[in-house]
Amino acid sequence: MMSRSATGRLRALTQTTARIVATRPNVLRTVAVPILNATRLYTTTVVPSTKKVIPYTVDKFPGHVRNENFKKITEQDVDFFKSLLGETGVVYKNEDDLFAFNTDWMNKFRGKSQLALKPKTTQQVSAIMKYCNDQKIAVVPQGGNTGLVGGSVPLFDEVVLSLQNMNNIRGFDDVSGVLSADAGCVLEVLDNWLGEKGYMMPLDLGAKGSCHIGGNIATNAGGLRLLRYGSLHGTVLGLEVVLPDGTILDNMATLRKDNTGYDLKQLFIGSEGTIGVVTGVSILTPHRSKAVNVALLGLNSFEDVQKAFTHSRKELSEILSAFEFWDINALEMFKKHAVTKAAMENEYPFYVLVETSGSNKDHDDEKLNNYLEKMMENEVAQDGVVAQDETQIRSLWAIREGFTEALGKEPAVYKYDISMPVPKIYECVEDMRAHLTQGGVLGKPDSAVIDVVAYGHVGDGNLHLNIAANRHDKKTSELIEPYLFEWVAKHKGSISAEHGLGVAKNEFLGYSKSPVMINMMKTIKNLFDPNGIMNPYKYLPTK
Amino acid sequence: MMSRSATGRLRALTQTTARIVATRPNVLRTVAVPILNATRLYTTTVVPSTKKVIPYTVDKFPGHVRNENFKKITEQDVDFFKSLLGETGVVYKNEDDLFAFNTDWMNKFRGKSQLALKPKTTQQVSAIMKYCNDQKIAVVPQGGNTGLVGGSVPLFDEVVLSLQNMNNIRGFDDVSGVLSADAGCVLEVLDNWLGEKGYMMPLDLGAKGSCHIGGNIATNAGGLRLLRYGSLHGTVLGLEVVLPDGTILDNMATLRKDNTGYDLKQLFIGSEGTIGVVTGVSILTPHRSKAVNVALLGLNSFEDVQKAFTHSRKELSEILSAFEFWDINALEMFKKHAVTKAAMENEYPFYVLVETSGSNKDHDDEKLNNYLEKMMENEVAQDGVVAQDETQIRSLWAIREGFTEALGKEPAVYKYDISMPVPKIYECVEDMRAHLTQGGVLGKPDSAVIDVVAYGHVGDGNLHLNIAANRHDKKTSELIEPYLFEWVAKHKGSISAEHGLGVAKNEFLGYSKSPVMINMMKTIKNLFDPNGIMNPYKYLPTK
């Protein structure tokens, strides 16, 4: 576990240390060649993170009470699990070994579990669930543990059911592009494996080096390719799920079309381990594009960001594969923890990363160049650079993917992941800054809040709003919530666009869903999990 | 109703009569210009269809017994509905007016309902459902009534709840491309409306002139654009649904990303009106492509069809928007009812229709031409023609879309819509021909079976297998079923890829879904509709 997890984190760090290279600034204004030559943009040096002592979630977010209906683990229970999984499949009462199962990757949530189980087969998962259901033992399914809302770690003494030892690829059909795999396969491993066959995973996210495909499905991960390849509700063709009573629901279809009854698998996509354990996945994978281009634009306003987006959908259309933005505050945060050197000649209030993926490099270059020229001529963009090779592409992406890591190095971060109509995105950020300044926690040297940082997926109306602070304090918290949730609700947005609910957002569900919807969700939860043993205290409101 | 429905049918007929024009055969072999000039391919004259006397479904498919728990409609009930909807919203005991509500468009299924209701608002639908649930009156929700499995017409005296008067567009956001509309909007009307704004519906099917978007969602319609834009599970962003007890489930989100709880709307996509009435839809619409090309290829074998498909995914990649095939038998069937004249110089055992949609005509022409040249050079395709303008594009599509209509003119048709791994598709057709010949119902002048006709969506592994016959007879039926379903089950296919279950396929669900899955479906059905009033006798197995 530790080494795999460590590898995942290492990958992110390596990305941050990568030399980020781009083109001479402003050359696009007098563009003579379709794609520009590159010079250095940033050189980064990582500030190593120090291991912190992490408070327990139940101390940090008080108000949670252990449900005494749940059985406390006994030696007999442990013996049963050892007989089922062998000694190596059970981690019990070993504080060091259990740390990684009890703690999320951001070191924000920490549980008190004394037992983690590592089954290797669906049958073992089924036997574990049947036993736990009969005994009323609470269970937290865990994938790569890269979530951001504390959904994958326990609060109290719930048993951690890790899928890390279920990591076999089950099959691949290279006519249809349908991949079948165990839930515990790491996203990046699958993507690399497919790469050799000319295919790719239809989703991509910063945590790809650690996150599991099963966890991606349980949390309905969105990420960087959603704009192009759509959501998992469309790309997942089949699931194998173990229900709370141990029943194996075999819905591992590999068919693109199958209209035979209710599409039950959909319920588990985004259910965060509350009604079943995803053990197997079949997913439609697209062909890997022969040509990938990445451009970075500097812009003066969010209005210009929107103009650039609208044009990109028209001009780049079928080859547009990502349209990401960040503000200068996000860039400053990145530079703070990556010790950057040199950039575009000037700095701009907004940046946009445009990615195209297509089958013909010449065609794509022409489309992208036409688009970029138009953006520069019309002064929508003030400056632009285009990556010249795979290394430069990775380097540009490393900025976008480095914000989470950089923010993690701040003393405290309030993280929000919201969606709303595109024109509202930055109004929300500016409102929050004004609100915090007015509230007296932002803008002075000794203010609690360090900065309000914004980035996200413009194409999906998805804003990652991060408030970096010197400390978590009551005044700041109360200024942010429920103010932000009310703001989002007023504009018919979502209080959790892609991170999910977990233990961090569950009590705020009412800001995005009606009482009728929440009641129906509770009915579904009770139907599948009448004993409530699956991932308790999370997802749905407890109050 | 009659005029709207008639319009829909008229459109299909008009398509069939359209002059179908294509290029000089074999010119691609010595191609000098990227896109070829066109000459005439077909001239068609329609054989008018005569109105048949249609037997009742319960007489044609015996074994169904009216559930006596359902209340028979009384004058008091009718008075209630008239007070709610006005006189014009209620059709009662008028055989002529009720005919269109009782009969499907293929004239295959016919119910005995004496009452059809035409609400104009979601609140009226809610009041109807609450009343019917309280009174235990069975209800059949009905959209454009273009289904092929009898799902949208009653069997006995169920009340027909038609959505035809709920046809307002609710809103459109032209930054995100999200459309919100009433369930009763006709698909083609929405597509045309969006066309004026540079957008399009993400689905397309032969029945587009009549089918409702609500019906599309209730049946999880697939159709011709699925290859490119994915399934409704991915493109539908929000639904408004009236539950059987009249509760309005407002899940009309317009957000691309929203991970706040179970994605309940997914349950209603493909539920065929058995757990709720879809009244409103919000859906993600793509930009209308500036350039559309359609090519028709003649091929010698299904192996070549597969080769052409695999290459198209690599070469045409992001601009590939359809890849359809049919066999010579399907073409002969089309010609039989369209009185064709002239074709490609030669005829071929297989035909493939390739459509590309992109943002740059020159780029797309080059890609398509490279692809076609390669297919001709490598002798994967024996001949090929490319449509030169919108009229020719429509004409080529009219062949593909005309098969259903043509088959409808045969004395009897056994229709199957199955999916399976692509390499198995045509093996299934050849097996069926051999099986019917061996069984003595195919191959002689007086055989019951006229022909076995195949066409479908190669990219989706979706085969439309049609057995045209001189009459429905017991011997033929028993030769086809369960033989075909067993064949499909053996190859892990679906017995209903896109048509759904209705009253025609519900008893065969076990060939595609496990007992665990079917039990879970029944649990879901009972949860939402404990009185079983929604679209009874259909969808799930009754035995």
Side-chain angles (χ1 to χ4, degrees):
Chain A
M1 171 68 185
M2 284 310 287
S3 73
R4 189 194 45 75
S5 182
T7 311
R9 291 178 199 189
L10 186 62
R11 185 194 165 285
L13 292 175
T14 311
Q15 269 194 343
T16 316
T17 53
R19 288 184 151 193
I20 299 166
V21 186
T23 76
R24 290 184 302 266
N26 289 319
V27 177
L28 265 168
R29 283 189 192 286
T30 54
V31 63
V33 286
I35 301 293
L36 306 172
N37 290 320
T39 56
R40 187 164 303 166
L41 176 62
Y42 295 125
T43 311
T44 61
T45 314
V46 165
V47 181
S49 74
T50 51
K51 189 162 170 178
K52 293 182 278 191
V53 178
I54 307 151
Y56 290 113
T57 307
V58 289
D59 296 332
K60 211 165 154 188
F61 300 88
H64 290 286
V65 180
R66 186 184 183 282
N67 181 344
E68 294 304 331
N69 291 335
F70 297 141
K71 181 182 174 186
K72 286 180 179 162
I73 295 293
T74 65
E75 297 297 328
Q76 286 72 30
D77 298 327
V78 176
D79 288 344
F80 170 80
F81 293 125
K82 281 184 179 166
S83 74
L84 183 71
L85 307 173
E87 288 284 338
T88 56
V90 177
V91 184
Y92 180 54
K93 280 194 176 170
N94 180 325
E95 195 69 21
D96 281 352
D97 287 353
L98 283 166
F99 184 83
F101 295 99
N102 269 319
T103 320
D104 75 307
W105 75 308
M106 292 292 292
N107 287 337
K108 191 171 173 187
F109 302 94
R110 187 178 172 197
K112 298 175 172 181
S113 181
Q114 293 299 304
L115 180 64
L117 304 175
K118 301 188 287 181
K120 287 184 176 174
T121 66
T122 303
Q123 284 67 31
Q124 288 178 346
V125 175
S126 167
I128 291 168
M129 288 312 309
K130 186 177 180 338
Y131 184 87
C132 289
N133 195 49
D134 290 345
Q135 298 284 324
K136 296 201 174 49
I137 296 170
V139 176
V140 177
Q142 188 175 88
N145 205 0
T146 60
L148 292 163
V149 291
S152 61
V153 288
L155 264 77
F156 298 99
D157 59 345
E158 303 92 279
V159 172
V160 176
L161 174 56
S162 168
L163 278 290
Q164 63 179 265
N165 281 348
M166 286 184 65
N167 52 15
N168 292 313
I169 290 170
R170 298 190 188 180
F172 182 67
D173 172 355
D174 68 2
V175 177
S176 63
V178 177
L179 172 80
S180 303
D182 285 351
C185 292
V186 171
L187 180 61
E188 194 172 45
V189 171
L190 293 177
D191 198 53
N192 289 341
W193 190 87
L194 287 168
E196 287 170 19
K197 297 176 188 320
Y199 286 81
M200 64 194 275
M201 289 298 282
L203 76 161
D204 186 23
L205 49 157
K208 60 177 164 277
S210 298
C211 66
H212 293 182
I213 185 66
N216 296 149
I217 283 157
T219 56
N220 189 28
L224 308 164
R225 289 179 188 160
L226 187 130
L227 178 69
R228 173 69 167 270
Y229 300 108
S231 89
L232 290 169
H233 287 288
T235 52
V236 171
L237 300 181
L239 289 183
E240 178 190 78
V241 179
V242 176
L243 300 182
D245 68 358
T247 302
I248 299 170
L249 198 72
D250 180 6
N251 196 185
M252 276 292 278
T254 56
L255 304 163
R256 273 203 85 166
K257 284 181 174 171
D258 176 22
N259 277 346
T260 54
Y262 305 117
D263 196 354
L264 298 178
K265 70 172 182 289
Q266 299 287 351
L267 277 180
F268 300 95
I269 301 175
S271 66
E272 300 186 25
T274 58
I275 52 175
V277 185
V278 175
T279 51
V281 178
S282 90
I283 190 165
L284 186 68
T285 71
H287 270 274
R288 194 164 286 250
S289 297
K290 289 178 210 155
V292 175
N293 286 322
V294 172
L296 182 69
L297 303 179
L299 308 95
N300 276 339
S301 69
F302 192 73
E303 209 187 316
D304 286 340
V305 171
Q306 287 182 75
K307 278 184 199 160
F309 173 61
T310 307
H311 278 283
S312 77
R313 287 202 58 182
K314 281 181 198 155
E315 304 285 325
L316 301 173
S317 189
E318 70 275 6
I319 62 166
L320 182 65
S321 54
F323 194 100
E324 303 284 311
F325 94 99
W326 55 89
D327 63 6
I328 180 72
N329 310 60
L331 184 64
E332 294 297 340
M333 182 59 68
F334 178 76
K335 286 158 72 179
K336 180 173 170 184
H337 296 286
V339 192
T340 57
K341 176 184 141 191
M344 283 183 187
E345 198 168 39
N346 300 308
E347 288 196 332
Y348 299 95
F350 293 92
Y351 294 87
V352 155
L353 183 154
V354 184
E355 185 190 75
T356 66
S357 309
S359 59
N360 184 311
K361 176 80 175 141
D362 292 341
H363 292 171
D364 292 5
D365 287 355
E366 193 185 322
K367 285 190 183 95
L368 180 60
N369 204 52
N370 286 344
Y371 167 73
L372 293 174
E373 274 186 41
K374 202 175 278 183
M375 291 303 95
M376 300 294 284
E377 275 166 21
N378 297 345
E379 302 212 5
V380 173
Q382 302 306 311
D383 199 357
V385 296
V386 181
Q388 295 304 295
D389 56 33
E390 180 65 22
T391 310
Q392 293 184 16
I393 285 175
R394 277 202 212 122
S395 301
L396 287 179
W397 267 118
I399 308 176
R400 170 60 188 85
E401 291 182 325
F403 299 135
T404 305
E405 191 87 15
L407 283 158
K409 298 192 198 312
E410 293 292 304
V413 194
Y414 299 86
K415 295 187 81 67
Y416 297 95
D417 160 47
I418 52 190
S419 65
M420 61 191 80
V422 179
K424 289 288 160 197
I425 289 180
Y426 212 72
E427 208 180 300
C428 177
V429 180
E430 285 166 338
D431 238 53
M432 181 52 73
R433 284 195 186 118
H435 180 68
L436 294 177
T437 307
Q438 212 167 6
V441 298
L442 175 64
K444 290 174 196 157
D446 62 342
S447 291
V449 171
I450 297 166
D451 203 359
V452 178
V453 159
Y455 55 96
H457 321 279
V458 179
D460 313 326
N462 185 185
L463 167 67
H464 295 298
L465 179 69
N466 288 268
I467 298 166
N470 288 309
R471 57 195 175 272
H472 280 109
D473 72 26
K474 200 161 172 273
K475 190 178 175 193
T476 307
S477 299
E478 286 177 358
L479 275 167
I480 301 173
E481 296 176 15
Y483 180 82
L484 180 64
F485 296 134
E486 284 165 0
W487 206 100
V488 170
K490 200 172 84 185
H491 296 97
K492 298 198 171 169
S494 168
I495 60 149
S496 192
E498 52 180 11
H499 292 173
L501 298 165
V503 70
K505 302 282 159 65
N506 59 329
E507 302 299 348
F508 306 109
L509 183 55
Y511 286 103
S512 284
K513 290 283 152 55
S514 70
V516 170
M517 287 286 289
I518 294 174
N519 278 339
M520 185 56 75
M521 288 180 194
K522 287 182 173 173
T523 306
I524 294 284
K525 165 75 178 172
N526 290 336
L527 177 72
F528 283 86
D529 182 23
N531 294 329
I533 59 164
M534 296 287 297
N535 220 359
Y537 320 111
K538 298 171 189 161
Y539 199 63
L540 297 177
T542 56
K543 287 153 199 163
Chain B
M1 173 68 185
M2 284 310 288
S3 73
R4 188 192 47 72
S5 183
T7 310
R9 292 177 199 190
L10 186 62
R11 184 191 165 286
L13 293 176
T14 311
Q15 269 192 344
T16 317
T17 53
R19 288 184 151 196
I20 298 165
V21 186
T23 76
R24 290 183 302 266
N26 289 319
V27 178
L28 266 167
R29 285 186 191 286
T30 55
V31 62
V33 287
I35 301 293
L36 307 172
N37 290 322
T39 56
R40 188 165 301 166
L41 174 62
Y42 295 124
T43 311
T44 61
T45 313
V46 164
V47 181
S49 74
T50 50
K51 189 162 173 180
K52 292 181 277 192
V53 178
I54 308 151
Y56 291 113
T57 307
V58 290
D59 296 333
K60 210 163 153 188
F61 300 89
H64 291 285
V65 181
R66 186 185 183 280
N67 180 343
E68 293 305 329
N69 291 335
F70 297 141
K71 181 182 173 186
K72 286 181 180 163
I73 296 293
T74 64
E75 297 296 328
Q76 286 72 31
D77 298 327
V78 176
D79 288 345
F80 169 80
F81 293 125
K82 282 185 179 167
S83 74
L84 182 71
L85 308 173
E87 289 284 338
T88 56
V90 177
V91 184
Y92 181 54
K93 282 195 176 170
N94 180 326
E95 196 68 20
D96 281 352
D97 287 353
L98 284 165
F99 184 83
F101 296 100
N102 270 320
T103 319
D104 75 307
W105 75 306
M106 292 292 292
N107 288 335
K108 192 172 173 187
F109 302 95
R110 187 177 171 197
K112 298 176 172 180
S113 180
Q114 293 298 305
L115 180 64
L117 304 175
K118 301 188 287 181
K120 289 185 173 172
T121 67
T122 303
Q123 285 66 33
Q124 287 178 347
V125 175
S126 167
I128 291 168
M129 288 313 307
K130 185 176 183 335
Y131 184 88
C132 289
N133 195 49
D134 290 345
Q135 298 284 323
K136 297 202 173 46
I137 296 170
V139 176
V140 176
Q142 187 175 89
N145 205 0
T146 61
L148 291 163
V149 290
S152 61
V153 288
L155 264 77
F156 298 99
D157 58 345
E158 302 93 276
V159 172
V160 175
L161 175 55
S162 167
L163 278 291
Q164 64 180 264
N165 281 347
M166 287 185 65
N167 53 14
N168 291 313
I169 290 170
R170 297 189 188 180
F172 182 68
D173 172 356
D174 67 2
V175 177
S176 63
V178 177
L179 172 79
S180 303
D182 285 351
C185 291
V186 170
L187 179 60
E188 194 172 44
V189 170
L190 293 176
D191 197 54
N192 290 339
W193 189 87
L194 287 168
E196 288 170 18
K197 297 175 188 320
Y199 286 83
M200 64 194 274
M201 289 298 282
L203 75 161
D204 186 22
L205 49 156
K208 59 178 165 276
S210 298
C211 65
H212 293 182
I213 185 64
N216 296 148
I217 282 156
T219 57
N220 188 29
L224 308 164
R225 288 178 188 161
L226 188 131
L227 178 69
R228 173 70 167 269
Y229 301 108
S231 89
L232 289 169
H233 287 288
T235 52
V236 170
L237 301 180
L239 289 183
E240 179 189 78
V241 179
V242 176
L243 300 182
D245 68 357
T247 301
I248 299 170
L249 199 73
D250 180 4
N251 196 187
M252 276 292 279
T254 56
L255 305 164
R256 272 202 86 165
K257 284 181 175 172
D258 176 23
N259 277 347
T260 54
Y262 304 117
D263 196 353
L264 297 178
K265 70 172 181 288
Q266 299 287 353
L267 277 180
F268 300 95
I269 300 174
S271 66
E272 301 187 25
T274 58
I275 52 175
V277 185
V278 174
T279 51
V281 178
S282 90
I283 189 164
L284 186 68
T285 71
H287 271 275
R288 193 164 287 250
S289 298
K290 290 179 210 155
V292 175
N293 285 324
V294 172
L296 181 70
L297 302 179
L299 309 94
N300 276 339
S301 69
F302 192 74
E303 208 187 314
D304 286 340
V305 171
Q306 287 181 75
K307 279 185 200 160
F309 173 61
T310 306
H311 277 283
S312 77
R313 286 200 59 179
K314 281 181 197 155
E315 304 283 326
L316 301 173
S317 189
E318 70 275 6
I319 62 167
L320 182 65
S321 53
F323 194 98
E324 303 285 311
F325 94 100
W326 55 89
D327 62 6
I328 181 72
N329 310 60
L331 184 65
E332 293 297 339
M333 183 59 69
F334 178 75
K335 285 158 73 180
K336 179 173 170 185
H337 296 286
V339 192
T340 56
K341 179 183 138 191
M344 282 183 187
E345 198 169 38
N346 300 310
E347 290 196 331
Y348 300 95
F350 293 92
Y351 294 87
V352 154
L353 183 153
V354 183
E355 186 191 75
T356 66
S357 308
S359 59
N360 184 311
K361 176 77 176 145
D362 292 342
H363 292 171
D364 293 5
D365 287 356
E366 193 184 322
K367 285 189 183 96
L368 181 60
N369 205 52
N370 286 343
Y371 167 72
L372 293 174
E373 274 187 41
K374 203 175 277 183
M375 291 304 95
M376 300 293 284
E377 275 167 21
N378 298 345
E379 302 211 6
V380 173
Q382 303 306 312
D383 199 357
V385 296
V386 180
Q388 295 303 296
D389 56 33
E390 180 64 24
T391 309
Q392 293 184 15
I393 285 175
R394 278 204 210 121
S395 301
L396 288 179
W397 267 117
I399 306 175
R400 170 60 188 86
E401 292 182 325
F403 299 136
T404 306
E405 190 87 15
L407 283 157
K409 297 192 198 316
E410 293 292 305
V413 194
Y414 299 86
K415 295 187 80 68
Y416 297 95
D417 161 48
I418 51 191
S419 65
M420 61 191 79
V422 180
K424 289 287 160 198
I425 288 180
Y426 212 71
E427 207 179 303
C428 177
V429 181
E430 285 167 338
D431 238 53
M432 180 53 73
R433 283 195 188 119
H435 180 68
L436 294 177
T437 307
Q438 213 166 5
V441 298
L442 175 63
K444 290 174 196 158
D446 62 341
S447 292
V449 171
I450 296 166
D451 202 0
V452 178
V453 159
Y455 54 95
H457 320 281
V458 180
D460 313 326
N462 184 184
L463 166 67
H464 295 296
L465 179 69
N466 289 266
I467 299 166
N470 288 310
R471 55 193 177 273
H472 279 109
D473 71 26
K474 201 160 173 272
K475 190 178 176 192
T476 307
S477 299
E478 287 176 358
L479 276 168
I480 301 173
E481 295 175 16
Y483 180 84
L484 180 65
F485 296 135
E486 283 165 0
W487 206 100
V488 170
K490 200 172 85 187
H491 296 97
K492 298 197 172 172
S494 169
I495 60 149
S496 191
E498 52 180 12
H499 293 173
L501 298 165
V503 71
K505 302 282 159 65
N506 58 330
E507 303 299 348
F508 306 108
L509 182 56
Y511 287 103
S512 283
K513 290 284 152 56
S514 69
V516 170
M517 288 286 289
I518 294 174
N519 279 339
M520 185 56 76
M521 288 180 194
K522 287 182 173 173
T523 306
I524 294 284
K525 165 74 179 173
N526 290 335
L527 176 73
F528 282 87
D529 183 22
N531 294 329
I533 59 165
M534 296 289 295
N535 220 0
Y537 320 111
K538 297 171 189 160
Y539 199 62
L540 297 177
T542 56
K543 286 154 199 166

